[in-house]
């Protein structure tokens, strides 16, 4: 059986004479804001087009931020395939993308087109009727073949498709159409990439540059910190940046800078096509003119019937198309590969500043670390580069945070940023060595917050189990100065929250302990001095301990406030409690308040008697209601009825006595209240 090479001309798609020239990356600036700034540069020669691949999820950012610099001002346009280029392309084709995988279906999509086929060394030209599958029996074996039928000048001719040597459309437009579809499938074979092309005007050879800002992985920081020895005040810090290249293209000899800040970053879906919805209105047509049907006369109360829709009931319905933007594809994180790291020297004296660390510069919004050397990083790979390497003032302390651990402080180090730039936040690996010639030991990890120039940060790396701390919390309320104004007693009250810390140092080691004492709203630390640092949430109180020493330290938080109460409403107990709790009250004031408490007690006793009398009255009223109901059901005269009437008379006498008692008590209460008011009015504190 012959081997058929179908459509060989279609698959030999040559590149245009002026092939696009790639424009390489020259400079990369990565930000902790989650964006990357990229510069591409190239020299234009005899070709006026430059292009480079971009990931699909970066297209929106490039459309938002692209800048093109041409000294000749020859920029003409920037283009890239549409969001769904294949879908848009095949919308206007007589065949689908799947038909390109099936030559029979592709041929049938051009039914009626003129073909020239070669069979048995002879050419045949005609209009394609159909290619149809058929079963043949060859050597008693059923074999499926396809019949290709042409309408030739001699009539219909059928050929076995599998035996043909070549097939070619005689119409060049069809040939070009299929070629264009195949090329588009090839160019868009990777659905997550697009190729951006910049068209420049022809001119003299020149250097051009373009830049843009796209989403990029955060560059991450990790520090190495070597603690100072006992007789030194400076420790050593190295800062390393972990950088990923997830742009879709390699970086070859690029200038790299890293910025740390918190800029405002926005995104917008600029790549997909959007269409506005339009209202749909029906086509106006004239209704048929018909005489009204005569249904005869009808009574006045009959219901009228509707004539129906004036336009024959043809009502159009609006159709709205919705276009949803595709979510940006998740950026795949590359594995750590080919990490650039230099071993830390064992001797701290050999830890000198490196020549290839980044040069730092700081603006209002961010700090930038620019590296002196160039970097090469393949797409999808990660590298680690040093951005800081220098000595900084450090002090070892034991930081006590009772909320984190109640019995022991944390071994910590206070780092002061004396460098020429702000240090970004990051994780620290802490090392220590006993002497210059001793090997380094790992002692713990820590986290460092954002550290501006000239500020300090406390980083904790291990629990200090040798140092013990106990604490006892007490609270007290003390009433101080009193004053009276318009019958209102105002007292200055001092609230004291005292914490007693008992600190015990290790047997053979000195300790500089820093107690983080929590702040309280409206409270102030007593004895606050310059040695005490204040954070948003705590006071940092330093306490020096000698080896084996036990020290007690008191932290007192004090709040003073004025409390007001109407004296007339105070009970005798409240007044006496005020007298007993305040040692600053003079003897005359104390005597006045005690007299006031005595009158208040007598007035309260009168009020209690009045309440008892009122309660007795209510009980008598309920008894009288019962007696009256019983009398109603008794007809005529009877001993029982006479007894009920006698009880009613006795209760009326009792009510009169109670009314007199209540009236007398009310007069006594008014007298006591007047006496109290007079004392309060003349009271001077």
């Amino acid at each position: 059986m012959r081997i058929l090479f179908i459509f060989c001309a279609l698959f030999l798609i040559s590149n245009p004479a002026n092939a696009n020239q790639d424009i390489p990356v020259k400079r990369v600036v990565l930000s902790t804001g989650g964006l990357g700034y990229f510069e591409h540069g190239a020299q234009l020669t005899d070709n006026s087009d430059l292009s480079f691949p971009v990931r699909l999820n970066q297209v929106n950012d490039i459309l938002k931020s692209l800048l093109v610099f041409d000294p000749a001002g020859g920029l003409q346009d920037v283009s890239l395939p549409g969001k769904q280029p294949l879908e848009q392309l095949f919308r206007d084709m007589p065949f689908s993308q799947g038909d390109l995988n099936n030559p029979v279906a592709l041929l049938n999509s051009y039914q009626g087109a003129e073909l020239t086929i070669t069979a048995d060394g002879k050419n045949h030209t005609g209009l394609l009727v159909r290619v149809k599958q058929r079963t043949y029996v060859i050597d008693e074996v059923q074999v499926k073949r396809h019949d290709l039928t042409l309408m030739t000048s001699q009539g219909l001719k059928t050929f076995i498709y599998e035996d043909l040597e070549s097939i070619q459309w005689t119409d060049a437009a069809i040939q070009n159409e299929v070629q264009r579809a195949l090329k588009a499938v090839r160019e868009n074979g990777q659905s997550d990439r697009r190729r951006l092309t910049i068209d420049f005007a022809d001119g003299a050879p020149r250097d051009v540059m373009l830049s843009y800002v796209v989403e990029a992985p955060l560059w991450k920081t990790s520090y190495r910190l070597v603690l100072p020895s006992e007789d030194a005040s400076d420790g050593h810090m190295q800062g390393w940046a972990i950088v990923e290249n997830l742009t879709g293209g390699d970086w070859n000899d690029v200038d790299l800078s890293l910025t740390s800040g918190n800029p405002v970053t926005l995104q917008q879906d600029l790549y997909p096509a959007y269409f506005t919805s339009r209202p749909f209105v029906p086509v106006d047509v004239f209704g048929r003119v018909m005489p009204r049907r005569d249904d005869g006369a009808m009574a006045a109360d009959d219901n009228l019937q509707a004539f129906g829709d004036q336009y024959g009931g043809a009502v159009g319905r609006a159709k709205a198309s919705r276009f949803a933007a595709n979510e940006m594809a998740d950026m795949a994180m590359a594995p750590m590969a080919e990490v650039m790291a230099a071993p830390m020297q064992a001797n701290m004296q050999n830890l000198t500043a490196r020549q290839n660390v980044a040069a730092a510069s700081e603006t209002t919004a961010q700090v930038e670390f620019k590296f002196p050397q160039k970097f090469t990083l393949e797409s999808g790979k990660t590298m680690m580069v040093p951005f800081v390497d220098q000595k900084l003032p450090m002090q070892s302390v034991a930081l006590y945070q009772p909320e984190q651990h109640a019995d022991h402080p944390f071994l910590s180090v206070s780092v002061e940023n004396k460098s020429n730039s702000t240090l970004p936040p990051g994780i620290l690996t802490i090392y220590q060595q006993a002497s210059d010639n001793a090997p380094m030991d790992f002692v713990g990890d820590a986290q460092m917050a954002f550290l501006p120039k000239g500020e300090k940060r406390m980083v904790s790396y291990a629990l200090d189990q040798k140092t013990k701390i106990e604490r006892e919390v007490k609270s007290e309320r003390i009433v101080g100065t009193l004053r009276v104004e318009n019958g209102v007693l105002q007292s200055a009250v001092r609230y004291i929250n005292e914490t007693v810390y008992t600190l015990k140092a290790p047997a053979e080691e000195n300790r500089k302990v820093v107690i983080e004492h929590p702040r309280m709203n409206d409270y102030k630390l007593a004895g606050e001095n310059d040695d005490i640092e204040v954070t948003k949430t705590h006071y940092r109180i330093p306490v020096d301990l000698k080896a084996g020493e036990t020290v007690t330290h008191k932290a007192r938080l004090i709040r003073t406030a004025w409390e007001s109460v109407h004296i007339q409403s105070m009970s005798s107990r409240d007044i006496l409690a005020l007298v007993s709790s305040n040692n600053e009250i003079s003897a005359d004031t104390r005597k006045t308040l005690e007299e006031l408490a005595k009158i208040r007690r007598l007035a309260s006793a009168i009020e209690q008697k009045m309440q008892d009398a009122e309660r007795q009255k209510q009980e008598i009223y309920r008894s009288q209601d019962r007696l009256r109901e019983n009398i109603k059901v008794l007809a005529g005269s009877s001993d029982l009825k006479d007894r009920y009437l006698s009880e009613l008379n006795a209760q009326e006498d009792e009510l009169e006595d109670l009314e007199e008692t209540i009236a007398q008590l009310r007069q006594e209460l008014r007298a006591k209240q007047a006496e109290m008011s007079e004392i309060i009015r003349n009271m001077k504190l």
Side-chain angles (χ1 to χ4, degrees):
M1 184 176 295
R2 300 173 183 174
I3 300 175
L4 179 64
F5 295 92
I6 302 176
F7 311 136
C8 59
L10 301 181
F11 293 93
L12 297 176
I13 301 174
S14 60
N15 290 328
N18 295 324
N20 285 345
Q21 175 186 346
D22 279 345
I23 178 168
V25 180
K26 297 294 185 182
R27 181 171 177 242
V28 176
V29 180
L30 299 179
S31 167
T32 54
L35 296 177
Y37 170 82
F38 298 88
E39 284 185 5
H40 295 250
Q43 185 180 45
L44 283 180
T45 55
D46 57 346
N47 194 313
S48 58
D49 289 346
L50 296 175
S51 68
F52 61 98
V54 296
R55 292 187 183 273
L56 182 61
N57 59 359
Q58 294 176 339
V59 174
N60 282 324
D61 285 333
I62 291 177
L63 293 176
K64 175 178 72 73
S65 62
L66 180 65
L67 281 173
V68 180
F69 300 93
D70 181 3
L75 175 64
Q76 296 194 132
D77 62 67
V78 179
S79 61
L80 72 163
K83 175 79 172 180
Q84 297 173 322
L86 294 181
E87 180 179 329
Q88 297 169 6
L89 174 67
F90 285 103
R91 183 180 301 169
D92 300 326
M93 295 286 186
F95 56 89
S96 66
Q97 183 178 353
D99 291 340
L100 291 177
N101 301 323
N102 187 345
V104 172
L106 181 63
L107 286 170
N108 284 329
S109 65
Y110 283 101
Q111 188 178 21
E114 188 176 68
L115 291 178
T116 296
I117 65 173
T118 302
D120 297 329
K122 296 180 181 180
N123 294 334
H124 303 272
T125 301
L127 302 178
L128 176 63
V129 177
R130 192 71 176 170
V131 182
K132 186 176 181 181
Q133 189 181 71
R134 183 178 172 186
T135 303
Y136 288 86
V137 178
I138 301 175
D139 297 333
E140 298 182 356
V141 177
Q142 290 186 349
V143 180
K144 292 183 179 181
R145 294 287 187 267
H146 291 82
D147 289 345
L148 186 150
T149 303
L150 291 180
M151 172 61 75
T152 68
S153 57
Q154 291 82 28
L156 291 175
K157 290 186 178 182
T158 301
F159 306 88
I160 297 177
Y161 167 79
E162 282 76 14
D163 292 339
L164 298 179
E165 297 174 9
S166 67
I167 302 174
Q168 186 173 5
W169 284 286
T170 58
D171 188 350
I174 297 177
Q175 192 91 350
N176 293 334
E177 196 170 49
V178 178
Q179 285 183 347
R180 186 160 59 94
L182 288 170
K183 183 179 179 181
V185 171
R186 178 172 175 268
E187 290 179 348
N188 293 275
Q190 294 180 330
S191 60
D192 64 336
R193 296 207 181 181
R194 295 291 185 268
R195 193 162 193 87
L196 186 141
T197 302
I198 300 119
D199 187 16
F200 294 91
D202 294 333
R206 60 195 185 275
D207 291 330
V208 296
M209 188 267 287
L210 64 92
S211 66
Y212 53 86
V213 177
V214 296
E215 185 179 45
L218 298 175
W219 68 276
K220 299 171 286 293
T221 58
S222 64
Y223 295 93
R224 289 85 169 124
L225 192 149
V226 181
L227 298 176
S229 57
E230 292 185 1
D231 56 347
S233 59
D234 290 343
H236 199 96
M237 175 178 282
Q238 286 184 352
W240 292 78
I242 295 94
V243 177
E244 292 106 352
N245 177 8
L246 298 181
T247 59
D250 295 340
W251 299 347
N252 296 311
D253 292 332
V254 299
D255 291 323
L256 179 63
S257 297
L258 305 175
T259 63
S260 178
N262 194 11
V264 176
T265 59
L266 304 173
Q267 60 178 333
Q268 194 171 60
D269 229 355
L270 300 175
Y271 194 24
Y274 284 87
F275 301 88
T276 58
S277 60
R278 296 171 294 159
F280 187 90
V281 295
V283 178
D284 288 337
V285 296
F286 292 102
R288 291 184 300 167
V289 179
M290 295 289 291
R292 179 169 53 84
R293 186 183 64 178
D294 185 10
D295 294 326
M298 59 182 181
D301 58 350
D302 285 346
N303 291 328
L304 296 177
Q305 295 183 356
F307 291 149
D309 191 340
Q310 181 180 1
Y311 297 112
V315 179
R317 295 185 178 180
K319 298 180 180 179
S321 300
R322 293 183 179 179
F323 294 86
N326 292 336
E327 295 183 357
M328 300 184 70
D330 291 335
M331 187 173 292
M333 295 300 293
M336 190 72 176
E338 298 184 4
V339 176
M340 299 173 58
M344 186 175 289
Q345 302 295 325
N347 193 327
M348 186 173 175
Q349 292 179 345
N350 295 329
L351 286 172
T352 56
R354 301 178 183 274
Q355 298 299 319
N356 60 344
V357 295
S361 61
E362 196 159 349
T363 63
T364 303
Q366 62 186 11
V367 57
E368 179 180 10
F369 300 95
K370 181 175 177 57
F371 294 90
Q373 72 274 28
K374 296 181 182 295
F375 294 94
T376 296
L377 184 62
E378 295 179 14
S379 177
K381 289 195 174 182
T382 301
M383 69 178 177
M384 190 166 69
V385 292
F387 66 93
V388 64
D389 189 354
Q390 67 181 81
K391 293 183 177 181
L392 295 177
M394 301 181 192
Q395 184 180 33
S396 296
V397 298
L399 181 63
Y400 180 57
Q401 297 175 328
E403 302 90 346
Q404 306 301 323
H405 201 285
D407 300 326
H408 301 285
F410 290 95
L411 292 173
S412 309
V413 57
S414 175
V415 181
E416 185 176 3
N417 185 4
K418 289 292 187 178
S419 68
N420 59 351
S421 69
T422 296
L423 296 178
I427 190 170
L428 295 93
T429 304
I430 313 294
Y431 296 92
Q432 189 176 34
Q433 58 183 161
S435 62
D436 290 342
N437 296 322
M440 288 190 184
D441 295 323
F442 167 75
V443 293
D445 289 330
Q447 286 182 295
M448 186 178 73
F450 189 75
L451 182 53
K453 290 188 297 184
E455 293 191 12
K456 295 180 181 180
R457 290 292 182 270
M458 197 84 71
V459 293
S460 302
Y461 56 87
L463 187 67
D464 183 6
Q465 300 186 28
K466 297 180 181 179
T467 305
K468 297 180 180 180
I469 300 179
E470 296 179 355
R471 62 179 184 141
E472 181 183 2
V473 180
K474 304 175 182 179
S475 60
E476 188 177 4
R477 179 180 181 274
I478 300 175
V479 180
T481 304
L482 301 177
R483 64 188 183 195
V484 175
E485 185 175 350
N486 298 325
V488 176
L489 176 65
Q490 295 179 332
S491 55
V493 182
R494 179 179 297 176
Y495 295 90
I496 300 175
N497 183 284
E498 183 180 80
T499 303
V500 180
Y501 294 96
T502 303
L503 305 89
K504 184 177 181 181
E508 299 179 353
E509 300 175 35
N510 297 333
R511 279 290 187 270
K512 182 178 181 62
V513 179
V514 174
I515 299 173
E516 280 199 346
H517 187 75
R519 297 174 62 183
M520 298 175 62
N521 289 337
D522 300 328
Y523 281 79
K524 192 171 182 180
L525 182 67
E528 185 175 347
N529 54 53
D530 295 337
D531 293 336
I532 298 176
E533 294 182 353
V534 182
T535 69
K536 290 183 178 180
T537 56
H538 290 81
Y539 296 99
R540 284 181 174 167
I541 306 171
V543 180
D544 291 325
L545 298 178
K546 295 181 180 180
E549 184 181 23
T550 299
V551 173
T552 299
H553 181 85
K554 295 182 179 180
R556 305 180 78 216
L557 295 178
I558 300 175
R559 179 174 73 90
T560 302
W562 284 94
E563 295 183 355
S564 301
V565 62
H566 287 275
I567 301 177
Q568 197 79 27
S569 64
M570 295 177 66
S571 66
S572 60
R573 181 180 299 177
D574 293 337
I575 298 173
L576 292 176
L578 178 63
V579 172
S580 61
S581 64
N582 196 322
N583 296 326
E584 299 180 5
I585 299 178
S586 65
D588 293 340
T589 301
R590 186 181 302 275
K591 183 178 179 180
T592 302
L593 289 175
E594 290 175 349
E595 180 67 19
L596 186 62
K598 179 180 178 181
I599 299 173
R600 172 75 264 188
R601 184 173 60 255
L602 295 174
S604 297
I606 295 173
E607 290 173 346
Q608 184 62 45
K609 291 180 181 180
M610 292 177 62
Q611 292 175 4
D612 293 341
E614 288 290 344
R615 188 163 44 252
Q616 293 178 28
K617 284 175 57 179
Q618 296 302 321
E619 291 176 358
I620 292 173
Y621 288 149
R622 285 192 293 273
S623 178
Q624 286 183 334
D625 291 338
R626 180 181 61 81
L627 292 173
R628 290 190 180 98
E629 290 297 325
N630 291 337
I631 291 173
K632 287 181 182 179
V633 298
L634 296 175
S637 299
S638 65
D639 294 339
L640 183 58
K641 186 175 183 179
D642 292 341
R643 193 180 74 180
Y644 287 160
L645 291 173
S646 176
E647 289 181 9
L648 282 174
N649 290 330
Q651 288 177 349
E652 285 297 327
D653 294 338
E654 188 176 356
L655 284 175
E656 289 180 1
D657 294 339
L658 287 173
E659 288 292 349
E660 292 179 0
T661 301
I662 292 173
Q664 183 179 356
L665 291 172
R666 187 174 291 115
Q667 290 180 358
E668 294 177 4
L669 180 60
R670 289 196 188 102
K672 294 299 180 184
Q673 289 175 342
E675 191 174 353
M676 288 177 61
S677 298
E678 183 66 19
I679 294 175
I680 294 171
R681 187 165 45 251
N682 297 325
M683 185 180 294
K684 294 181 181 180
L685 301 179

